[in-house]
Amino acid sequence: MEFRRNLLSESSRVWVLFLFCSLFVHVGCLNQEGAALLLFKQSVKEDPDGSMNNWNSSAENPCSWNGVTCRDLKVVSLSIPKKKLMGILHPSLGDLSSLRHINLRNNKLYGSLPVRLFGARALQSLVLYGNSLSGSLPPEVGNLKYLQTLDVSKNALNGSVSISILQCKKLKTLSFSHNNFTGSLPDGFGSNLVQLEQLDLSYNGFNGSIPGDMGNLSRLQGTVDLSHNLFSGSIPATLGNLPEKVYIDLSYNKLSGPIPQNGALMNRGPTAFIGNNGLCGPPLKNPCSSDSPASVPSSIPFFPGNFPAAASDDNNSGGSNKRRGLSKGAVIAIVASDVVGIVLIGLVFLFCYWRVVSCRGKTQGARPGKGRNGRTECCCFRKDESETPSENIEQVDLVPLDSQVNFDLDELLKASAFVLGKSGIGIVYKVVLEDGLTLAVRRLGEGGLQRYKEFQTEVEAIGKLRHSNIVTLRAYYWSVDEKLLIYEYIPNGSLTTALHGKPGMAALSPMPWLVRVKIMKGIAKGLAYLHDFSPKKYVHGDLKPNNILLGQKMEPYISDFGLGRLANITGASPMPQPNKDPVEKQQNQLSEISGNLSSNSGLYYQAPEALKLLKPSQKWDVYSYGVILLELISGRSPVVLMATSEIDIVRWVQLCIEEKKPLSDVLDPSLAREPQCEEEIVAVLKIAIACVHSNSERRPSMRHVSDALEKLSSSG
């Protein structure tokens, strides 16, 4: 009671201050949005990390406050996760008319969800998981027409889910897990929320049958988790219509009957169905009794011709009268309706053609600034642009691809950042978070094509790759004007720098053969994983020393896998053009040797067949790897500058062999001090020559290369 009295007192003070400022305008008065946020601050009883210390009434607006993001001085995002905030959600947050994102996850907020909160009708994401909120989910949630993410998992919410949630037709992520929700899912759940991509209802008290229309959720991904509830009845066969890659977890409910064997329900392990004593049939060991309905649905579609009643008609004596055919009047009616339909369609197309032609005549003389409006109105049919604020709805929250990601966008944007390098595919930053975690962040640019779905598919596939010699993509961020890729940070720079140094670098330390072999083996293992053991048997397509990064113990990491594809999707990738000017070409080579990121730096690592503009293949990667081996053995750059000409390293080594020059002429001079390694060096040189064979079919696979290197006596 004392806390509640204090809260009311503080709230009154805040609003008095706002009213005073409204009557007597002067510099330093807080605007209405700031006053609403200040009420939320007053409702927070504990803030041990001081995350809202700079929230005060002396500011003109709240746009510089921790956790607050503005656009045109309007609050669009409130993000204060994992800060141990203890208090209630103040209803004033619902007064922020432009608020799109609330992220207060993993705090200690308690009390109910205020009805007024759902007055913030522009909300696109509401993330409150990991608190102690109680009470029901207000039916006013249906007011949030643009809501894409609703995550209230790991709270103490209860009651049934209102049918009004079906009005949130843009929902992509819905997570109610680990609460006390009860009742059945509203009718039309699967027919209305067709945009859903993530669904988690686990660990609640939902009961009744599983809606049959849930099979309509064709965009679902990952795991659809309905486990640990009280769902009863049979499993709808329509669940098999879900994408086959979706894992459906129905364990620990009260389901009964045979398990349908179709689509996404086929070939699932028993763990998806355990804890349902009434279920029978594969994959469970509980066989169905003879009186159980068939567990395999008919694959024959429903037509009047195969409907049982029609079949029986065909077998009786009266059936012949029903199969004589259509009457003359019926045929005339059908033909007449077809003619009318064709005429109507023709009129519609004629109208469209007239509108486009007349519109073109009007827009040809229009000013350049009017082109967009002209194009819009030339369309025959178009959606009312006032119906929705934006079809390219921003995705502001960071999307984690790694279970170890425990930072958010707010922490990332406020971290210390240092430029590591620049290229045509964006800038790479070293980012150090407040807790000391270091990351590498690649910014793909501000513009480009808005192909989010394609980008999401590609980046999530890359994020699933896990190998000790491949840089891990840990998270990504997409918005209309910003795309970020967040990687683990590899501390020792690139192989290019280790071999050739860079401007301003102290004298280059020679790299021992033992370290070089370790690098060779690691790259080979990483490529073999991509080629033969990854989910889709990938091709890197742009392997070069610049994207081989070295760890603390000089272990190699292959980076930039899939980057070309992502850059193409976002429009951030300029196509490299060959240099015809020898001076410019030499400058680019020297730039690469010095460690700069040149748009043409990968040309000398591309296989000969790349000149035919063929799609990159695994044998293309093998060739690139062979060039890197030659570079590690010789210590030379990929283009060798001779007295009167220049030649690529592959042709240079081949000439040395043809002219029977001594091995010492090919070796990096620092390796001449390790004569005991000569036998291994020759073995690696033979592997390199095989990898750079001009005939791609004669090159070995990376698995064979890796196996051959493992037989070398050097450790690594």
Side-chain angles (χ1 to χ4, degrees):
M1 289 296 293
E2 185 64 29
F3 171 63
R4 199 173 288 274
R5 275 197 295 272
N6 291 340
L7 175 61
L8 290 171
S9 174
E10 292 294 340
S11 300
S12 302
R13 260 182 253 163
V14 171
W15 282 111
V16 166
L17 173 66
F18 174 71
L19 290 172
F20 179 81
C21 287
S22 299
L23 292 172
F24 304 99
V25 179
H26 60 83
V27 176
C29 279
L30 188 64
N31 65 12
Q32 186 173 359
E33 301 223 328
L37 287 174
L38 217 50
L39 287 174
F40 169 62
K41 178 184 178 181
Q42 303 302 337
S43 72
V44 174
K45 186 177 180 180
E46 294 182 10
D47 180 12
D49 293 343
S51 54
M52 294 190 286
N53 280 354
N54 69 339
W55 289 32
N56 56 71
S57 57
S58 62
E60 293 183 32
N61 60 68
C63 298
S64 61
W65 292 355
N66 291 337
V68 177
T69 303
C70 293
R71 184 163 295 174
D72 299 327
L73 297 181
K74 290 283 190 179
V75 176
V76 295
S77 176
L78 173 62
S79 181
I80 313 178
K82 303 182 301 178
K83 296 299 182 182
K84 305 172 188 173
L85 301 179
M86 179 180 286
I88 65 171
L89 276 174
H90 199 280
S92 63
L93 294 180
D95 298 335
L96 301 171
S97 59
S98 297
L99 187 62
R100 299 181 187 179
H101 307 278
I102 295 178
N103 183 0
L104 297 171
R105 60 184 172 88
N106 288 332
N107 282 294
K108 298 180 180 180
L109 301 175
Y110 55 85
S112 60
L113 292 169
V115 171
R116 218 166 96 208
L117 175 66
F118 300 95
R121 300 198 174 196
L123 268 181
Q124 295 175 14
S125 64
L126 179 59
V127 180
L128 299 171
Y129 78 76
N131 284 284
S132 300
L133 299 168
S134 57
S136 62
L137 181 67
E140 286 74 13
V141 68
N143 294 336
L144 307 181
K145 307 294 186 185
Y146 308 112
L147 192 64
Q148 294 187 41
T149 298
L150 177 59
D151 191 344
V152 292
S153 53
K154 296 185 179 179
N155 279 283
L157 297 171
N158 53 48
S160 60
V161 177
S162 171
I163 193 172
S164 66
I165 198 169
L166 302 185
Q167 298 172 33
C168 303
K169 296 184 183 294
K170 292 185 181 291
L171 266 179
K172 294 182 179 179
T173 298
L174 180 61
S175 183
F176 286 161
S177 69
H178 292 84
N179 277 285
N180 300 313
F181 287 112
T182 55
S184 58
L185 295 179
D187 292 337
F189 185 88
S191 302
N192 288 274
L193 303 181
V194 293
Q195 301 293 323
L196 274 180
E197 297 175 359
Q198 306 291 331
L199 178 61
D200 189 352
L201 305 178
S202 61
Y203 291 92
N204 279 286
F206 287 114
N207 55 39
S209 59
I210 296 173
D213 63 359
M214 198 174 281
N216 295 334
L217 303 178
S218 59
R219 299 192 179 188
L220 285 174
Q221 304 170 10
T223 298
V224 175
D225 201 341
L226 307 181
S227 67
H228 295 86
N229 278 288
L230 301 172
F231 288 115
S232 58
S234 60
I235 299 174
T238 51
L239 285 187
N241 296 336
L242 295 178
E244 291 193 11
K245 292 183 179 180
V246 167
Y247 180 81
I248 306 170
D249 191 346
L250 302 173
S251 60
Y252 298 100
N253 279 283
K254 293 187 175 183
L255 298 168
S256 58
I259 299 171
Q261 296 297 301
N262 65 313
L265 292 169
M266 286 184 68
N267 304 319
R268 300 300 180 192
T271 54
F273 307 102
I274 59 174
N276 294 277
N277 295 332
L279 286 179
C280 63
L284 301 178
K285 295 182 179 179
N286 177 26
C288 294
S289 60
S290 58
D291 57 349
S292 296
S295 61
V296 181
S298 171
S299 60
I300 304 174
F302 169 74
F303 292 119
N306 61 40
F307 189 57
S312 64
D313 284 342
D314 288 344
N315 294 326
N316 63 31
S317 59
S320 59
N321 292 330
K322 297 182 180 181
R323 291 184 283 110
R324 287 181 304 175
L326 297 172
S327 66
K328 185 176 180 180
V331 171
I332 293 172
I334 292 171
V335 172
S337 63
D338 287 345
V339 171
V340 171
I342 292 170
V343 170
L344 288 174
I345 292 171
L347 289 173
V348 169
F349 276 104
L350 184 62
F351 170 76
C352 288
Y353 176 77
W354 168 81
R355 182 166 183 172
V356 170
V357 169
S358 62
C359 188
R360 280 178 182 170
K362 292 178 183 179
T363 56
Q364 280 176 354
R367 290 175 297 172
K370 300 292 183 181
R372 182 180 174 186
N373 292 337
R375 283 195 304 271
T376 301
E377 294 184 2
C378 281
C379 294
C380 187
F381 305 104
R382 66 185 181 92
K383 190 174 181 180
D384 186 0
E385 292 179 0
S386 63
E387 185 177 333
T388 173
S390 172
E391 284 304 315
N392 293 323
I393 298 194
E394 301 170 27
Q395 178 150 346
V396 170
D397 284 335
L398 208 66
V399 181
L401 300 172
D402 185 340
S403 59
Q404 302 301 314
V405 171
N406 55 5
F407 54 90
D408 56 43
L409 182 63
D410 192 57
E411 293 173 73
L412 188 70
L413 295 179
K414 293 185 178 180
S416 302
F418 312 91
V419 175
L420 289 176
K422 300 180 181 180
S423 74
I425 309 181
I427 304 174
V428 182
Y429 299 90
K430 174 184 177 182
V431 174
V432 183
L433 303 182
E434 285 184 355
D435 61 1
L437 177 65
T438 305
L439 302 163
V441 178
R442 181 181 285 276
R443 185 178 179 223
L444 287 181
E446 298 180 352
L449 304 174
Q450 306 308 316
R451 293 150 60 185
Y452 172 70
K453 280 293 177 188
E454 202 173 347
F455 180 91
Q456 181 188 42
T457 300
E458 289 289 330
V459 80
E460 290 187 356
I462 296 169
K464 291 177 182 177
L465 298 177
R466 292 291 183 275
H467 191 273
S468 57
N469 296 112
I470 296 177
V471 177
T472 301
L473 180 61
R474 305 191 64 185
Y476 72 96
Y477 167 78
W478 169 287
S479 73
V480 173
D481 52 6
E482 190 74 274
K483 292 92 184 167
L484 304 176
L485 301 175
I486 297 93
Y487 297 90
E488 64 175 321
Y489 176 71
I490 310 301
N492 259 337
S494 71
L495 181 56
T496 297
T497 302
L499 276 174
H500 308 296
K502 60 182 179 180
M505 189 176 179
L508 192 64
S509 300
M511 189 185 296
W513 176 249
L514 194 68
V515 173
R516 299 185 196 221
V517 171
K518 181 178 185 176
I519 293 170
M520 295 171 187
K521 289 182 177 181
I523 301 171
K525 288 177 182 177
L527 278 179
Y529 167 79
L530 284 177
H531 289 184
D532 294 316
F533 304 106
S534 61
K536 294 185 179 180
K537 296 188 176 182
Y538 292 103
V539 175
H540 189 289
D542 190 29
L543 191 71
K544 53 191 175 185
N546 258 340
N547 53 38
I548 304 297
L549 305 180
L550 301 175
Q552 198 69 50
K553 299 180 180 179
M554 298 299 284
E555 66 276 20
Y557 292 82
I558 299 172
S559 71
D560 291 357
F561 167 68
L563 184 61
R565 173 67 176 156
L566 292 175
N568 176 262
I569 291 171
T570 60
S573 175
M575 293 298 292
Q577 300 294 330
N579 289 322
K580 297 181 179 179
D581 183 354
V583 175
E584 183 183 356
K585 189 172 185 179
Q586 185 173 358
Q587 287 174 344
N588 279 332
Q589 293 159 4
L590 294 175
S591 294
E592 182 184 12
I593 294 171
S594 66
N596 291 333
L597 296 171
S598 167
S599 62
N600 295 322
S601 61
L603 293 178
Y604 301 104
Y605 300 91
Q606 291 179 0
E609 61 266 24
L611 297 175
K612 301 174 185 177
L613 300 178
L614 297 175
K615 183 180 179 181
S617 68
Q618 292 185 351
K619 292 303 178 73
W620 186 334
D621 283 349
V622 174
Y623 184 95
S624 302
Y625 177 76
V627 179
I628 293 173
L629 287 186
L630 294 178
E631 201 167 344
L632 280 164
I633 292 170
S634 67
R636 294 177 180 264
S637 64
V639 57
V640 180
L641 302 177
M642 304 182 75
T644 57
S645 62
E646 58 186 30
I647 187 172
D648 66 84
I649 192 171
V650 173
R651 184 61 186 145
W652 177 76
V653 170
Q654 290 170 343
L655 285 175
C656 289
I657 294 172
E658 290 169 7
E659 294 172 8
K660 297 183 180 180
K661 291 187 176 181
L663 182 62
S664 57
D665 284 7
V666 176
L667 292 186
D668 186 329
S670 67
L671 294 180
R673 308 185 195 107
E674 298 183 62
Q676 73 280 6
C677 302
E678 184 172 319
E679 186 176 340
E680 281 189 8
I681 293 172
V682 171
V684 173
L685 183 58
K686 289 180 180 177
I687 293 172
I689 294 299
C691 289
V692 296
H693 201 289
S694 58
N695 185 344
S696 61
E697 298 300 319
R698 300 282 297 274
R699 297 173 203 150
S701 69
M702 283 311 306
R703 187 191 298 187
H704 289 136
V705 170
S706 183
D707 290 342
L709 289 173
E710 284 302 311
K711 294 176 182 177
L712 298 179
S713 60
S714 294
S715 61

